[in-house]
Amino acid sequence: MDTLLLARLQFATTASVHFLFVAVTLGLVTLLVGMQTAWVVTGNHRWERMTRFWGQLYVINYVLGIATGIVMEFQFGLNWSGLSRYVGNVFGAPLAIETLVAFFLESTFLGMWIFGWHRLRRGVHLALLYGVAITAYASAFWIMVANSWLQNPVGYEVRDGVAHLTDFSALLTNPTLWTALGHVVSAALLTGGLLVAAISAWHLHRRTPDFALFRSSLRIGVVTAALAITLVQGFGFAQFAPVGGAQPTKFGATSPHAEELVAEWTARFGPGDYLPPVLSSFGLGFMILIGFALGLLWLFVPLLWRDWIIRLRFPLWLLMLALPLPFVALILGWIAREVGRQPWVAYGLLPVDQAVSPISPWLMGTSLIGFTLLLGTLAVTNWVLLARHAARGAADPALGRPPAQPPADDARPEPAFA
Amino acid sequence: MELAWHALLGLFFAGYLVLGGYDYGVGLLLARGADASRRRAALNAVGPFFLGNEVWLVASAGILFGAFPVLEGELLAGSYPAVLTALAGVILVTAGVQLRSRPESMRARTTWDRVIVVGSLLAALGWGVVLAGLLQGVPLHADGHVAGVTHLFTPFAAAAGLAVLALTVAHGATFLTLRLPAVEGDRLRPLARRLLRTALVAVGAAVLVGVFSDRVRAAAQRPMVGVLLAVLLVVALLTAWVALGRRRPGVAFAATSAALALPVLLVGATLWPYVLVSTVEPHASLTVTDAAASAPTLRLLGWLAVPLLPALLGFQAMCWWIFRGRIDGRAPVYW
Ligand code: HEM
């Protein structure tokens, strides 16, 4: 086992687990904004209960988003110190901006949102959720700016072997940025929408109480997911042109341009295998397959008429069965994008073997096993908790539960924590 | 410009130790075996601040990467085991605090509380060792890489890790005397004072070991500044101890906060103008300017930071303001 392979494995595992959670975060928060806005505008109690129920799931899911995100951020320095050394001047900037502009505020707002229930004015409380959502999208944007730079380095010049920033706006107009951003954001919406639809379907199928609440949720989920899958497909196909232009060697294409590039790299960086592993095309193919299959979500939309979707029952089953699909596609998509960039950290600029930290394989292996076990256990525990809370229903989620009223005759309330 | 970013990096990491420090302190105090409702009260005393506290760490890492990329790579990769320990701790605490109240059963909650205790322990020890590693210099070679990891295992690093651990527990206990309902808070005062005495001993020991360590003496560029700040640290702890004796938890908390921020200032000021001192090759040592990103990057980030910093600090202050004062039976309970 060599350090490079272990470091790459660690990156792949952490990034995959991270993405499974953040996609749900991004998708759910968008729906939550709609629900809480409806609550504040209409004053209808059902919207409050929906916000609490889905908000509770959102908050539980968020935990692992942070935990894995922290590992992601430190991993660059720990395992890929060459990355910061050679391209840190350029690549570091969007990451720094992401932590400050987005993540810092997102968590600060979320803390206030969770504990601000029954304490802040409704408008302020709602504004906090808007803050959480906006910063979450900002976070996705800046991370994609950083990632797109690795896919297609722009706006820099190399002096003494180190990349220096020359044109920041080039990072923002990177051809690999905007379509990819649209694709992942709509994929997140798809995931969030389908999650809401599938959980609602479970409750409707089991005929738990709260029919009205889960009926509305189901409708919101199905419509969101259907709209989102169309966007996913649109942005997905739109990605081929810019990605192919920026990365001729991706997806196993053997165009004259790709051969030229490989010849040039061989001259500059020495002989080597400059074509990505087939795993990348495998990821791409199966993702697209899932993408087409989920296009059938549109068939559920007419069934919303007169609640046929609930009365027929089998559509509920189909929705529950479809739930794993977007998650699998998310990982396949990242495999397509990231494995397809090999053997580069920054395409055509910094090969992976120059970027990896000079750490002994033992230490790297320990870190890989340790963090995989740690994050894996936490991820599974988190999903179990999510499933339990989803199944428990909307009767009384802990989120937004009114604090115990002090008895009227007691002048000095003792704390009641249970 | 580099100086401003150096200061900002210090500010955010010190902010993390102060704010995250009481999270971990409260986390460690869960080990006291208090009954379930007391443990829950302690965690909800941190409650609304918890998520806003740990982001200071993430922001420090962001600034480190954006403004000091070379330092980022070498510092983290060069202190691998310590950073790994600290990170594992941070993750256990973040998951533990946020998830512990989600299961209904008391057994599960108690298990999560143990997770929080272990996490807090690892985080406090880990960051203490990282700071010590900076102060005692690293084997930075001419090729720009830090070789090996055994350089971390010294008596000074151990003493500093324990000192930071003792500081966080004392800080956490002081925080609880300030935040818990008056009766409960008062009950914790003797414990907090005992912990402050322990912290004094631990800090004193770390300072002594440091003063007699050849590596620390060689790495320190301004030893007098270092000693002075160490004395200040001791003064801060004494102030907290006296203030708690006089039932002034606010003053005491301010003093323990200073005590958690001071180690960062101490490391930064003692090494100045260096950020990473090499123990093997004097020319390889990194000054703040060497470690900083190139001018265009710093300028870009600078333009951004000017409007952003007031917003960041403003929203944090908003959180502190909204949830100021002692918690009572009517405070929302979630963790
Ligand atoms: C017909 C359907 C789809 C098409 C044509 C498509 C196309 C693409 C392409 C070309 C890429 C590679 C971009 C690159 O290598 O830079 C990609 C990446 C990706 N895909 Fe898809 N995709 C489809 C469906 C899906 C679905 C259903 C999901 C998940 C719910 C998904 C999630 C992703 C993700 C996360 C990435 C990596 C980030 C990115 O490049 O945006 N895709 N997709």
Side-chain angles (χ1 to χ4, degrees):
Chain A
M1 279 288 169
D2 65 334
T3 306
L4 176 59
L5 182 65
L6 294 168
R8 285 180 54 197
L9 270 177
Q10 180 160 26
F11 196 89
T13 1
T14 332
S16 306
V17 179
H18 179 62
F19 207 73
L20 293 178
F21 288 93
V22 293
V24 172
T25 301
L26 203 60
L28 267 188
V29 80
T30 317
L31 296 181
L32 279 176
V33 162
M35 293 173 192
Q36 193 172 355
T37 308
W39 165 32
V40 171
V41 171
T42 65
N44 185 332
H45 185 54
R46 191 197 311 154
W47 291 111
E48 179 191 4
R49 298 192 51 232
M50 271 168 85
T51 314
R52 278 179 63 195
F53 175 72
W54 296 109
Q56 168 95 65
L57 299 186
Y58 166 80
V59 172
I60 295 177
N61 173 79
Y62 189 80
V63 177
L64 259 264
I66 313 182
T68 48
I70 293 178
V71 182
M72 288 293 289
E73 194 182 8
F74 277 89
Q75 196 172 174
F76 288 125
L78 285 167
N79 292 355
W80 302 98
S81 59
L83 187 66
S84 27
R85 165 170 304 268
Y86 299 114
V87 299
N89 283 316
V90 196
F91 177 65
L95 280 188
I97 297 176
E98 190 270 337
T99 56
L100 294 172
V101 174
F103 184 68
F104 190 92
L105 287 177
E106 185 182 354
S107 266
T108 310
F109 291 145
L110 186 63
M112 287 193 265
W113 187 71
I114 295 175
F115 285 85
W117 232 289
H118 308 290
R119 177 158 187 148
L120 298 171
R121 269 184 285 137
R122 288 220 176 147
V124 178
H125 193 229
L126 176 64
L128 285 172
L129 186 63
Y130 272 86
V132 174
I134 292 169
T135 46
Y137 275 88
S139 189
F141 173 75
W142 288 108
I143 290 297
M144 289 307 286
V145 170
N147 176 272
S148 301
W149 191 83
L150 295 181
Q151 302 289 341
N152 181 34
V154 287
Y156 70 96
E157 65 181 12
V158 176
R159 269 180 276 130
D160 311 322
V162 173
H164 295 272
L165 184 68
T166 54
D167 178 11
F168 188 66
S169 62
L171 269 69
L172 305 183
T173 52
N174 194 334
T176 55
L177 169 62
W178 288 94
T179 44
L181 180 70
H183 192 59
V184 281
V185 168
S186 17
L189 272 176
L190 167 68
T191 314
L194 199 57
L195 186 73
V196 169
I199 293 175
S200 307
W202 188 84
H203 280 281
L204 293 167
H205 168 71
R206 298 280 301 252
R207 298 201 169 86
T208 57
D210 268 330
F211 176 82
L213 187 147
F214 286 113
R215 175 178 173 272
S216 311
S217 300
L218 177 75
R219 301 171 82 87
I220 294 173
V222 167
V223 172
T224 309
L227 290 173
I229 184 64
T230 303
L231 289 174
V232 168
Q233 292 170 343
F235 280 115
F237 283 113
Q239 267 197 95
F240 279 109
V243 171
Q247 302 179 321
T249 54
K250 210 167 211 174
F251 309 140
T254 41
S255 61
H257 189 178
E259 276 160 24
E260 239 171 66
L261 206 55
V262 171
E264 188 199 319
W265 288 338
T266 313
R268 265 172 52 209
F269 294 89
D273 183 5
Y274 289 105
L275 292 180
V278 284
L279 181 63
S280 164
S281 315
F282 165 86
L284 185 76
F286 279 94
M287 169 188 62
I288 294 180
L289 205 64
I290 294 181
F292 280 130
L294 287 177
L296 300 179
L297 276 168
W298 276 107
L299 295 181
F300 291 79
V301 174
L303 293 180
L304 294 178
W305 191 63
R306 295 205 163 172
D307 286 338
W308 279 111
I309 189 169
I310 305 174
R311 287 200 256 165
L312 285 177
R313 304 204 74 71
F314 76 87
L316 299 179
W317 271 109
L318 289 178
L319 283 174
M320 288 186 259
L321 288 176
L323 184 57
L325 291 180
F327 290 96
V328 176
L330 287 172
I331 293 194
L332 293 173
W334 280 111
I335 288 179
R337 188 165 166 100
E338 302 296 280
V339 176
R341 158 170 62 109
Q342 296 304 322
W344 304 99
V345 168
Y347 194 75
L349 177 64
L350 182 65
V352 277
D353 54 1
Q354 281 183 29
V356 72
S357 301
I359 298 281
S360 81
W362 286 107
L363 198 56
M364 190 68 84
T366 313
S367 149
L368 168 65
I369 295 174
F371 274 105
T372 306
L373 283 180
L374 176 64
L375 294 178
T377 314
L378 286 177
V380 172
T381 317
N382 195 272
W383 278 319
V384 170
L385 283 172
L386 269 174
R388 289 218 183 118
H389 278 78
R392 197 178 291 165
D396 182 28
L399 182 71
R401 187 180 286 158
Q405 298 296 320
D409 54 356
D410 187 0
R412 283 228 355 230
E414 268 288 298
F417 299 99
Chain B
M1 202 65 182
E2 290 90 358
L3 174 63
W5 280 104
H6 189 51
L8 213 58
L9 177 61
L11 174 76
F12 272 84
F13 195 65
Y16 164 65
L17 285 188
V18 172
L19 299 170
Y22 70 71
D23 296 353
Y24 304 142
V26 171
L28 285 160
L29 288 171
L30 296 179
R32 279 188 313 141
D35 62 56
S37 70
R38 287 240 165 74
R39 276 182 276 145
R40 187 149 203 210
L43 286 170
N44 277 287
V46 180
F49 312 124
F50 181 78
L51 283 172
N53 286 347
E54 66 186 4
V55 292
W56 289 73
L57 171 66
V58 182
S60 314
I63 295 176
L64 189 59
F65 204 166
F68 298 98
V70 178
L71 174 63
E72 200 248 3
E74 292 318 317
L75 172 63
L76 297 187
S79 335
Y80 210 93
V83 177
L84 230 54
T85 309
L87 271 189
V90 170
I91 287 160
L92 289 175
V93 173
T94 199
V97 170
Q98 297 182 67
L99 295 179
R100 54 100 51 201
S101 289
R102 302 291 66 84
E104 295 284 327
S105 91
M106 283 301 155
R107 274 246 319 279
R109 288 186 180 180
T110 308
T111 310
W112 276 114
D113 289 347
R114 296 212 180 100
V115 169
I116 300 174
V117 173
V118 173
S120 305
L121 184 80
L122 295 178
L125 280 176
W127 294 125
V129 174
V130 171
L131 283 176
L134 279 167
L135 203 56
Q136 64 185 9
V138 293
L140 189 62
H141 287 275
D143 67 357
H145 286 304
V146 176
V149 291
T150 44
H151 63 89
L152 276 178
F153 301 101
T154 61
F156 175 61
L162 289 175
V164 171
L165 180 65
L167 279 173
T168 52
V169 197
H171 185 46
T174 310
F175 173 78
L176 286 180
T177 62
L178 180 67
R179 263 290 270 181
L180 285 180
V183 189
E184 299 270 316
D186 215 45
R187 233 177 266 155
L188 270 180
R189 263 185 339 130
L191 174 70
R193 295 189 85 205
R194 258 204 320 279
L195 289 170
L196 279 166
R197 287 198 295 272
T198 317
L200 264 173
V201 174
V203 168
V207 173
L208 276 186
V209 179
V211 169
F212 287 106
S213 145
D214 294 338
R215 273 176 59 187
V216 174
R217 282 220 298 264
Q221 308 294 314
R222 289 148 200 277
M224 280 331 285
V225 178
V227 171
L228 189 75
L229 289 170
V231 172
L232 261 181
L233 179 55
V234 171
V235 172
L237 288 175
L238 284 172
T239 313
W241 186 73
V242 172
L244 272 186
R246 301 198 177 154
R247 294 174 197 275
R248 300 284 299 275
V251 178
F253 181 67
T256 54
S257 299
L260 272 135
L262 276 168
V264 178
L265 186 63
L266 190 156
V267 171
T270 313
L271 294 182
W272 176 264
Y274 290 95
V275 279
L276 210 55
V277 177
S278 171
T279 49
V280 285
E281 213 143 346
H283 302 296
S285 294
L286 281 179
T287 63
V288 173
T289 323
D290 297 336
S294 50
T297 312
L298 288 186
R299 218 175 306 126
L300 170 81
L301 293 177
W303 279 117
L304 201 93
V306 171
L308 196 63
L309 272 182
L312 297 188
L313 300 180
F315 281 117
Q316 286 259 322
M318 171 182 163
C319 183
W320 301 328
W321 177 253
I322 294 177
F323 299 98
R324 69 191 177 279
R326 293 182 183 277
I327 54 168
D328 52 35
R330 278 157 302 167
V333 176
Y334 187 73
W335 298 152

